[in-house]
Amino acid sequence: MPRLKESRSHESLLSPSSAVEALDLSMEEEVVIKPVHSSILGQDYCFEVTASTGSKCFSCRSAAERDKWMENLRRAVHPNKDNSRRVENMLKLWIIEAKDLPAKKKYFCELCLDDTLYARTTCKLKTDNVFWGEHFEFNNLPSVKSITVHLYKETDKKKKKDKNNYVGLVNIPIVAVTGRQFMEKWYPVSTPNSNKGKSAGPMIRIKSRYQSMSILPMELYKEFAEYITNNYMVLCALLEPALSVKNKEEMASALVHILQSTGKAKDFLTDLMMSEVDRCGDNEHLIFRENTLATKAIEEYLKLVGQKYLQDALGMYRQSTDPFK
């Protein structure tokens, strides 16, 4: 396996640097390669390589560059990845808001999976509620047993007595949020003084979903991919009347991702849009306003291709104007 350069200054891995070390994974059996959330290092587009000798973090210039490095490293460590059956674990989670906290304080959360820190929210001021509305997504996770969200208040550096900034925690067993549908609810915060008072304590609203996906060798998907590529309109016409709105979202997402990988996503969307126009006929006011596979597919495609554009166009402006940074 080629030797990888470590960038201590968080410069791009592809940039020349004199202060680098070689990372040799050729003799390693268990190597974990995962993205690192920007809230942990204060740097975007980082990933971590964990081996028997320890962990090292690397920084890239973009999400695409980071993902390419991670994929190439995983293939180097596991060259038969595509030819073997495997399980991939993924978590999507929103830390939405908290209530019943003291006013005029700023609060933030730390997200841990099995006691390992994966991300932090920004620090937000308590008004009516503390609203974060922050989304976290993790793929290629190891097997996880629990999700823990730790709640903190920002300490006032001017007050020497203001040292105890820990509020409490929410612990969610992973089995409680495993499945196809998202689980959203208010969770009570377990505080150090939970049993001392009679009044209700703080609560955090969290939306989450954990999935373990069994993936077959890629060879077994070829016939299915060919069928989807050549018969997507027939498939949509047959299944749409029988699908709920939620199932339409799932199907549209799957079709968009499959056909994007085969280079047919644009043709698929064009055909689906024209079919939608023909279906509505003289009812122009209904075009693209109903919960159809066409509208769901367009939404998914915009998410797929528009994320990088929005980050490039608005990312620096958002960071420079964030009052809570």
Side-chain angles (χ1 to χ4, degrees):
M1 175 181 171
R3 295 165 75 84
L4 178 66
K5 294 181 177 180
E6 177 194 3
S7 176
R8 289 176 174 173
S9 61
H10 295 294
E11 295 177 0
S12 167
L13 285 166
L14 303 182
S15 299
S17 175
S18 57
V20 296
E21 292 181 84
L23 179 66
D24 189 358
L25 303 177
S26 59
M27 303 301 292
E28 295 286 346
E29 293 185 2
E30 293 293 331
V31 180
V32 177
I33 302 161
K34 65 179 184 180
V36 179
H37 195 265
S38 58
S39 62
I40 301 299
L41 298 177
Q43 176 81 18
D44 290 328
Y45 318 129
C46 297
F47 68 92
E48 181 182 45
V49 179
T50 303
S52 60
T53 55
S55 298
K56 295 180 184 290
C57 292
F58 303 89
S59 173
C60 299
R61 288 180 297 227
S62 66
E65 182 184 294
R66 178 199 61 196
D67 293 345
K68 184 176 181 180
W69 271 103
M70 290 173 57
E71 180 63 20
N72 289 341
L73 280 170
R74 285 171 179 153
R75 290 186 181 280
V77 175
H78 302 290
N80 293 320
K81 174 185 173 183
D82 288 342
N83 300 319
S84 59
R85 185 167 183 162
R86 65 188 190 276
V87 174
E88 290 195 1
N89 303 312
M90 58 204 76
L91 172 69
K92 291 185 178 181
L93 183 143
W94 285 259
I95 298 178
I96 303 173
E97 60 180 328
K99 64 181 180 180
D100 298 329
L101 288 165
K104 299 181 180 179
K105 298 286 186 180
K106 291 183 178 180
Y107 297 89
F108 67 94
C109 295
E110 290 187 343
L111 172 60
C112 298
L113 305 180
D114 286 348
D115 299 324
T116 299
L117 179 63
Y118 272 74
R120 293 187 184 93
T121 68
T122 51
C123 199
K124 293 296 180 71
L125 181 67
K126 165 73 165 65
T127 52
D128 292 335
N129 284 351
V130 183
F131 184 82
W132 294 285
E134 297 186 26
H135 171 232
F136 304 94
E137 186 169 341
F138 306 102
N139 299 307
N140 295 292
L141 288 169
S143 180
V144 176
K145 294 182 180 179
S146 67
I147 301 167
T148 306
V149 177
H150 295 276
L151 177 62
Y152 297 85
K153 69 176 180 180
E154 187 180 51
T155 56
D156 190 342
K157 297 179 181 179
K158 297 179 180 179
K159 298 180 180 179
K160 295 182 180 180
K161 294 182 179 180
D162 195 4
K163 294 181 179 180
N164 185 18
N165 66 338
Y166 186 66
V167 177
L169 63 86
V170 168
N171 186 264
I172 306 171
I174 207 68
V175 293
V177 295
T178 299
R180 295 177 60 189
Q181 303 301 325
F182 286 95
M183 173 66 71
E184 180 178 340
K185 61 181 290 188
W186 285 96
Y187 294 90
V189 176
S190 299
T191 65
N193 301 318
S194 292
N195 298 325
K196 295 182 180 180
K198 295 182 180 180
S199 60
M203 302 182 79
I204 302 178
R205 184 156 67 103
I206 298 171
K207 178 181 178 181
S208 58
R209 183 184 69 186
Y210 179 85
Q211 292 180 303
S212 290
M213 196 80 67
S214 181
I215 300 176
L216 302 175
M218 290 300 293
E219 183 69 25
L220 300 179
Y221 291 107
K222 281 188 176 180
E223 186 176 347
F224 176 68
E226 289 176 3
Y227 177 82
I228 294 293
T229 302
N230 297 322
N231 299 280
Y232 52 75
M233 289 304 297
V234 175
L235 192 63
C236 289
L238 289 173
L239 291 180
E240 178 146 27
L243 294 176
S244 66
V245 174
K246 279 287 184 184
N247 289 335
K248 285 178 184 179
E249 290 179 3
E250 290 188 27
M251 182 176 174
S253 175
L255 288 174
V256 166
H257 282 80
I258 291 170
L259 293 167
Q260 177 76 351
S261 69
T262 62
K264 287 288 186 177
K266 292 181 181 178
D267 292 337
F268 164 64
L269 291 171
T270 300
D271 292 341
L272 209 56
M273 294 305 102
M274 295 310 300
S275 174
E276 180 81 352
V277 171
D278 293 340
R279 183 186 67 82
C280 291
D282 295 332
N283 298 316
E284 296 93 344
H285 62 285
L286 295 178
I287 297 177
F288 309 139
R289 296 179 63 86
E290 298 179 288
N291 288 316
T292 63
L293 282 173
T295 57
K296 298 302 180 185
I298 282 289
E299 289 175 10
E300 189 62 34
Y301 188 73
L302 289 174
K303 293 176 188 176
L304 182 64
V305 303
Q307 182 178 8
K308 182 180 183 303
Y309 169 77
L310 289 175
Q311 288 177 341
D312 292 344
L314 303 176
M316 293 300 294
Y317 174 78
R318 182 190 63 79
Q319 292 176 11
S320 65
T321 58
D322 188 352
F324 298 105
K325 278 195 68 176

